[in-house]
Amino acid sequence: MSQTVCSILIPMYNEEEVIEETYHRLKNVMDKIGESYELVFVNDGSKDRSAQIISDLAKTDENIRLIDFSRNFGHQIAVTAGLDYVQGEAIVIIDADLQDPPEVIPQMLEKWREGYDVVYGKRLKRQGETAFKKASAHVYYRVLGALTDGNIPRDTGDFRLINRKVCEAIKELPEKNRFLRGMVNWVGFNQIAVEYVRDERWAGETKYPLKKMLKFAADGIFSFTYKPLKLATYIGLFLSVIGFLYLLVVLFQRLFTDTALTGWASLMAVTLVFHGITLVILGIVGEYIGRIYEEVKGRPLYIVKETIGFKNDKKDS
Ligand code: UDP
Ligand code: MG
C-alpha cells in the first residue's frame, strides 16, 4: 500500500495565468497539515504553457504529478483520469482557478478523520460570476433535483473530498458521459457538506463556454434519469384527449350546423403544434440514442500522452 495520505486532484485547461499561484496556495496549505500528500495535475490538452509550468515545478517538488492528455477531453474526463492515477487515502478534487479556496481543505480532512466518506463543498455564495450563470445554475439545480427526486445535492460543484472506498466505487462506473457530482452521490456512503464561499476566478477566463456548459447540463439530466422520455407519453395522452374532444365539436358542426369546412386555420394550427412537439420528442429520444451509441463504441475515456512524477511514467515518444 502506498504512503500517500492525501491526493489533491487539479484538472487544468489553459490555466497558465493562475496555475503557479494555485500550486503555491495548495503547497502552503498542505505543508501546514504535515501529512504526506501529492498534487496531481491533469493537463486537459491545454494549448498554453500550463503543462510546461507544472513539469518545471515538478523538478523542484517531488510531490507534484502530471498527467498530460493527448488533447482536450473535457473537465469531467480529466477528473476521471485523475481518479485512476491518485494514490492517496483521501482525495480532494479542486478547480485550478482558485475559485474553490484551498484553505477549506483542512476542514474537509477533519470531517474525513471523523469518519465521513464524502465531504462535499456547498457554495454559500458565488462571487464574481455573471448574473446569468448564477440564475441558470439556480434554475438548473432545481430542475435536476425535481427530475432525479432530489438525490443530487444542490449548489455543489466538484470541489469535494472522497476517500479511497468511494474512489474505487466510482472507478467501477464505466459510463462515457460523465456527471461526477451525480455519480459520487449515486455510489452512496456517508456524505456531509462543508460550506464555503466560492471566490472569483483568480486570473484568466472561464474554460466553460456556454456550449460546454449546455453539454454538461444535459449530461446531468440524461445520464441520471429517463423521465424526459416519459414526456412523450404524457404529452401524447394529453393531446389525444384534446383531439378527441375537438373531434366531437367538428362532428357536431358537420351534422347540425352549416359552418363546416371553414377550418383551414385550425387545421394549420394543429399541424404546426404537432410537428413541433414531434420534433422535440424525437430530439429527446435522440439524446438517449446518442448516449447509447457512445457507450456501445466502447472507446477509452481519454488518452494520456505523458506522465510525470509517477513510478512507471509514460513517456511522450
Ligand atoms: N477544465 C478542464 N477542461 C475543460 C474545461 C475546464 O480541465 O475542457 C478545468 C479548468 O481548468 C478548471 C475547471 O475545469 O480547473 C473548472 O473550469 P472553469 O473554472 O473554467 O469553469 P467555471 O468555474 O467558470 O464554471
Ligand atoms: Mg472556475
Side-chain angles (χ1 to χ4, degrees), residues 11 13 15 44 96-97 99 133 198 201 206-207 212:
Y13 177 56
E15 301 284 11
D44 186 11
D97 60 359
Q99 279 196 285
K133 173 102 181 222
R198 187 154 165 91
R201 184 176 246 287
T206 178
K207 306 300 178 305
K212 273 190 190 171

Side-chain angles (χ1 to χ4, degrees), residues 15 58 93 124 162 221 227 264 314:
E15 301 284 11
I93 302 162
L124 274 185
I162 64 176
I221 291 177
K227 276 187 193 150
W264 185 84
K314 179 169 179 181

Side-chain angles (χ1 to χ4, degrees), residues 3-225:
Q3 296 290 27
T4 314
V5 173
C6 187
S7 298
I8 311 291
L9 168 45
I10 313 118
M12 57 178 190
Y13 177 56
N14 295 343
E15 301 284 11
E16 65 181 2
E17 287 157 276
V18 38
I19 201 67
E20 196 160 349
E21 174 71 14
T22 307
Y23 161 70
H24 288 299
R25 285 267 295 273
L26 283 169
K27 181 174 162 52
N28 216 347
V29 168
M30 295 315 292
D31 281 346
K32 269 192 211 132
I33 294 171
E35 299 267 25
S36 61
Y37 69 91
E38 59 177 1
L39 303 176
V40 181
F41 293 86
V42 183
N43 178 40
D44 186 11
S46 299
K47 294 184 182 66
D48 65 2
R49 297 187 58 256
S50 305
Q52 191 57 49
I53 294 169
I54 294 302
S55 73
D56 286 347
L57 286 169
K59 288 177 191 137
T60 60
D61 185 342
E62 58 172 20
N63 294 323
I64 293 185
R65 321 260 179 273
L66 174 68
I67 302 161
D68 197 7
F69 277 1
S70 62
R71 66 167 169 87
N72 179 246
F73 281 90
H75 173 217
Q76 300 286 301
I77 306 279
V79 175
T80 305
L83 293 180
D84 289 340
Y85 279 81
V86 290
Q87 303 281 313
E89 289 304 314
I91 299 130
V92 177
I93 302 162
I94 188 167
D95 279 358
D97 60 359
L98 291 173
Q99 279 196 285
D100 310 325
E103 291 70 26
V104 178
I105 295 175
Q107 268 166 272
M108 291 181 158
L109 284 166
E110 216 163 277
K111 290 282 175 216
W112 170 64
R113 286 202 191 86
E114 283 172 24
Y116 290 97
D117 301 301
V118 176
V119 187
Y120 56 86
K122 193 167 168 62
R123 299 158 179 174
L124 274 185
K125 236 169 53 189
R126 292 163 165 249
Q127 280 169 2
E129 290 188 334
T130 59
F132 172 73
K133 173 102 181 222
K134 282 185 205 168
S136 57
H138 183 87
V139 172
Y140 175 71
Y141 278 109
R142 270 130 199 101
V143 170
L144 184 67
L147 285 174
T148 58
D149 302 320
N151 281 331
I152 296 174
R154 287 176 184 179
D155 303 323
T156 59
D158 286 321
F159 182 33
R160 59 182 71 213
L161 178 150
I162 64 176
N163 68 6
R164 183 50 44 197
K165 263 193 302 193
V166 175
C167 178
E168 293 303 325
I170 289 179
K171 279 157 75 174
E172 296 291 315
L173 307 185
E175 60 231 62
K176 305 280 186 264
N177 296 290
R178 300 180 82 81
F179 189 69
L180 280 160
R181 55 198 74 169
M183 293 161 70
V184 170
N185 189 72
W186 183 88
V187 298
F189 296 105
N190 259 335
Q191 312 214 356
I192 194 171
V194 163
E195 294 181 332
Y196 75 104
V197 174
R198 187 154 165 91
D199 282 332
E200 261 174 79
R201 184 176 246 287
W202 196 78
E205 307 208 310
T206 178
K207 306 300 178 305
Y208 258 104
L210 189 63
K211 198 171 146 218
K212 273 190 190 171
M213 208 68 217
L214 288 175
K215 153 92 172 89
F216 180 60
D219 278 344
I221 291 177
F222 294 120
S223 302
F224 275 87
T225 168

